[in-house]
Amino acid sequence: MSFSTDGALSIDVFHKGVFVPKPLMYFNPDKTSVTEVDLRNMEFKDFKIYIRNLTKGMCHDMYYCLPNRALVDGLRELRDEDDYVRFLDAGYKNGRRISIYIDHDHEPLMQWIEEEIAEDGVYGDSDPSSDDVDLVMSDDISVDHEVDDEVIEIPKSVDPFLSKKNLIPKGGVDEEVDDEVHHFLIHDPDQKWDTMVPVLGMRFSDRYELKQMLTNYVVFKGYALWYEKNDSTRLLVRCCKNKEGKAACPFRLWATPMSSEDSFQIKSLIDEHNCCRQVNLGSIVTYRWIGSLVGHYEKLWDYGAELLRSNPGSTVSIEVNPMPDSTAYFKRMYVCLKGVKDGWIEGCRRVIGVDGCFLKGICRGELLAVVGRDSNNQMYPLAWAVVSVENKETWKWFLDLLLEDIGMGDGRGLTIISDQHKVLVEAVKERAPACEHRQCARHVYANFKKKYTGVEFRKLFWRAAKPTTESAFRSYMREINAMSTHAYDHLMERDPKTWCKAFFELDRCCDAVENGIS
């Protein structure tokens, strides 16, 4: 491979982070930068090895970002020689500097980008300097445009925000206010969000303020509004798009900038609907309206209170870490609904599986879950918790709440299935000492095969895990011992009574040897 461009590149490599969607971003990365790297005679396979050594990790999924673009707009795959050529070309054109992002989790980034473009209308090849970052993709339907500065007669209204403080005095702000008011209303962005409605002639500081008002209107009323035209000079809003891409509801709003002042104004409005309340609010409600993560966490107390109001008898526990500056940070939250725990007590087997998994995204932490088995031996979600970290103290807190909810005390008559996580094993010993604690055979085998590979070892392990008699178990273990005494010793050290069916309690009516449902 050869390139006509001379010189070296400077590369910023972002790695050990996590891609999250809507908006697409790379969260909590490490950054490794190198300068003056001569790549002219380096092929793609050599370049991958170079990046792998640079980041001290695997580089299966690599991406680069076009200069001066957001990730959703400029992220490009770096998979083969052709991508590599385009990557180098982009770097040379950008003053010989470019950024690389490593995806360690094999996320479907291209699918996320397509979904975000479809929802928010960000065109992949658009001009990054465009002033319409909220552009929503729509069919190119011809529209009869209104005259921008037509005289509008404002109808009388009983809307609660039509007070004098929301109107411009006829003589302007420097003149004495009298009983007469300006023809055109000024939108008050500080009014209660569920009182906002579009009014003919209403003026806004810019179109983004108008769009924010429309989003509030949509969420409260349940109308599926969509943008037929949406750019810096016009806004055409319709309701309920049909299969042909046409409006299926009479509602129509047209707004443009005013020529006499720096305001965006609703120039024509048909405020009529023949549609019913929608569950899908269309593309007009985006992540920007939903709010910040801080706002989400502030609502946890309200969420917990609503669960208790609508499900009396449920258990909701929320804990925070207070800081010296009087702020509080989320620590953990536990939920077990009344109807769910009553159903388990009345009709499920006395067998539960517990497990935890990492949460991806901007807010890290772990999700802890308890899954039971109903009378058909099927999955029965019982309780769950979100915690900042998985440790012995967290598991003991979780088990205390759970055992109290299901009335199992010290665990007598209960079977718990889990993986071999040391802190969980210790927590169960302390909080439910009388329970039968089974180890997930799949986890036992996963550790076993790291040392003892091969089809024969796999077959013998699962034969040893599933017999119903001790004699059959010993027979299979003798075969394993004949193949390798170390393999035999490895399995016996894992306490077969916790993962072999032959040793399970007889009154639990569940012969599960693995915890996949959790």
Side-chain angles (χ1 to χ4, degrees):
M1 181 190 304
S2 62
F3 301 94
S4 59
T5 307
D6 295 328
L9 278 177
S10 296
I11 305 173
D12 296 318
V13 183
F14 296 91
H15 57 103
K16 295 183 180 179
V18 177
F19 277 103
V20 294
K22 299 180 182 179
L24 183 65
M25 60 185 297
Y26 196 59
F27 180 71
N28 199 26
D30 288 347
K31 179 181 178 182
T32 302
S33 300
V34 291
T35 58
E36 299 301 317
V37 182
D38 193 350
L39 303 178
R40 290 171 296 176
N41 297 316
M42 188 182 296
E43 294 186 354
F44 179 61
K45 61 181 181 180
D46 300 320
F47 176 72
K48 287 185 65 176
I49 296 173
Y50 174 78
I51 296 297
R52 183 183 306 164
N53 294 333
L54 188 67
T55 60
K56 297 180 175 61
M58 299 302 292
C59 299
H60 291 304
D61 297 343
M62 289 196 300
Y63 298 83
Y64 67 96
C65 189
L66 297 178
N68 304 315
R69 299 279 189 97
L71 289 182
V72 70
D73 188 28
L75 202 67
R76 299 292 185 266
E77 294 180 276
L78 192 50
R79 300 173 302 177
D80 51 33
E81 292 288 346
D82 292 337
D83 294 337
Y84 185 48
V85 172
R86 286 189 285 268
F87 158 75
L88 293 174
D89 184 60
Y92 287 126
K93 290 181 178 178
N94 187 46
R96 303 184 184 185
R97 190 171 197 95
I98 198 163
S99 298
I100 289 178
Y101 296 83
I102 307 299
D103 176 20
H104 302 279
D105 300 312
H106 306 288
E107 302 288 9
L109 300 185
M110 295 301 106
Q111 178 182 338
W112 288 356
I113 288 174
E114 290 179 3
E115 291 173 355
E116 189 166 339
I117 290 173
E119 290 183 10
D120 294 342
V122 180
Y123 292 100
D125 296 322
S126 63
D127 182 357
S129 64
S130 171
D131 60 352
D132 190 14
V133 295
D134 277 340
L135 186 63
V136 176
M137 299 176 68
S138 62
D139 297 328
D140 188 13
I141 303 172
S142 60
V143 181
D144 294 330
H145 293 178
E146 287 79 354
V147 178
D148 287 351
D149 296 315
E150 60 181 327
V151 177
I152 304 171
E153 293 295 332
I154 304 301
K156 293 183 179 180
S157 173
V158 293
D159 290 327
F161 56 88
L162 297 185
S163 59
K164 288 186 178 180
K165 72 182 185 68
N166 293 322
L167 304 176
I168 294 182
K170 185 176 181 181
V173 295
D174 294 328
E175 297 182 12
E176 183 179 354
V177 178
D178 55 24
D179 291 336
E180 295 186 29
V181 295
H182 194 277
H183 283 293
F184 302 140
L185 303 170
I186 295 178
H187 171 68
D188 179 9
D190 296 323
Q191 70 189 76
K192 197 169 183 293
W193 73 275
D194 56 4
T195 65
M196 295 184 181
V197 294
V199 176
L200 182 64
M202 183 174 281
R203 293 181 295 165
F204 301 81
S205 60
D206 52 38
R207 66 190 180 88
Y208 299 109
E209 188 175 82
L210 170 56
K211 292 167 71 174
Q212 180 71 14
M213 183 276 292
L214 289 173
T215 303
N216 291 331
Y217 172 66
V218 161
V219 173
F220 180 64
K221 295 292 187 178
Y223 296 134
L225 301 188
W226 52 282
Y227 297 119
E228 187 172 305
K229 298 294 181 183
N230 179 15
D231 56 44
S232 59
T233 61
R234 57 186 177 172
L235 199 68
L236 178 59
V237 185
R238 298 292 191 114
C239 186
C240 295
K241 184 186 293 186
N242 59 27
K243 293 181 180 180
E244 291 74 31
K246 302 294 183 66
C249 179
F251 180 91
R252 185 178 189 275
L253 181 147
W254 171 258
T256 62
M258 297 181 67
S259 61
S260 57
E261 62 179 72
D262 188 16
S263 299
F264 217 82
Q265 186 180 41
I266 298 176
K267 298 297 181 62
S268 69
L269 176 66
I270 302 176
D271 191 14
E272 299 177 10
H273 294 271
N274 60 10
C275 57
C276 59
R277 188 175 183 88
Q278 302 290 317
V279 176
N280 180 5
L281 298 178
S283 57
I284 199 170
V285 180
T286 68
Y287 64 86
R288 292 180 179 86
W289 182 88
I290 295 173
S292 68
L293 292 170
V294 174
H296 284 307
Y297 277 93
E298 289 175 349
K299 295 177 181 177
L300 278 181
W301 300 105
D302 293 336
Y303 173 63
E306 178 61 20
L307 287 179
L308 295 175
R309 184 201 65 79
S310 57
N311 301 268
S314 300
T315 302
V316 178
S317 176
I318 303 174
E319 296 184 10
V320 297
N321 288 320
M323 297 291 108
D325 61 355
S326 299
T327 60
Y329 287 89
F330 175 82
K331 183 178 181 181
R332 55 198 182 190
M333 179 177 183
Y334 168 92
V335 176
C336 183
L337 301 178
K338 169 69 172 174
V340 173
K341 61 185 177 184
D342 287 349
W344 187 89
I345 293 171
E346 294 295 330
C348 289
R349 306 170 192 270
R350 294 299 179 259
V351 178
I352 58 175
V354 295
D355 204 355
C357 67
F358 290 102
L359 295 174
K360 297 182 179 180
I362 295 176
C363 296
R364 301 299 181 92
E366 293 211 29
L367 173 68
L368 310 182
V370 179
V371 180
R373 291 174 180 265
D374 62 18
S375 56
N376 291 323
N377 213 29
Q378 301 298 308
M379 181 187 302
Y380 188 92
L382 180 54
W384 54 93
V386 175
V387 298
S388 56
V389 64
E390 180 184 5
N391 55 28
K392 184 178 178 181
E393 190 270 335
T394 297
W395 274 116
K396 289 195 296 184
W397 166 81
F398 185 68
L399 289 172
D400 285 341
L401 291 169
L402 174 68
L403 293 171
E404 183 177 354
D405 275 332
I406 61 179
M408 294 306 296
D410 62 356
R412 192 173 307 277
L414 177 68
T415 292
I416 296 178
I417 309 176
S418 72
D419 59 20
Q420 296 175 294
H421 200 296
K422 185 177 180 180
V423 297
L424 176 54
V425 172
E426 293 299 320
V428 171
K429 286 181 181 179
E430 292 188 22
R431 291 302 190 257
C435 80
E436 177 193 35
H437 191 180
R438 300 179 189 175
Q439 292 188 75
C440 175
R442 191 173 299 278
H443 285 81
V444 176
Y445 175 69
N447 291 324
F448 176 72
K449 73 176 182 179
K450 292 177 182 178
K451 297 182 178 179
Y452 309 101
T453 59
V455 175
E456 192 62 25
F457 273 126
R458 179 174 61 83
K459 289 182 179 179
L460 287 174
F461 171 82
W462 286 109
R463 288 173 183 170
K466 295 183 178 181
T468 56
T469 63
E470 292 186 33
S471 60
F473 167 75
R474 288 192 292 269
S475 174
Y476 292 125
M477 291 302 296
R478 282 194 294 270
E479 293 186 49
I480 293 176
N481 191 34
M483 292 180 63
S484 169
T485 57
H486 294 296
Y488 174 86
D489 292 339
H490 175 94
L491 292 176
M492 295 302 293
E493 290 171 1
R494 269 64 186 174
D495 190 5
K497 291 184 179 180
T498 65
W499 53 266
C500 174
K501 187 187 302 184
F503 302 100
F504 291 169
E505 297 288 342
L506 298 178
D507 62 344
R508 306 301 150 81
C509 301
C510 179
D511 60 358
V513 298
E514 51 84 29
N515 193 31
I517 63 172
S518 297

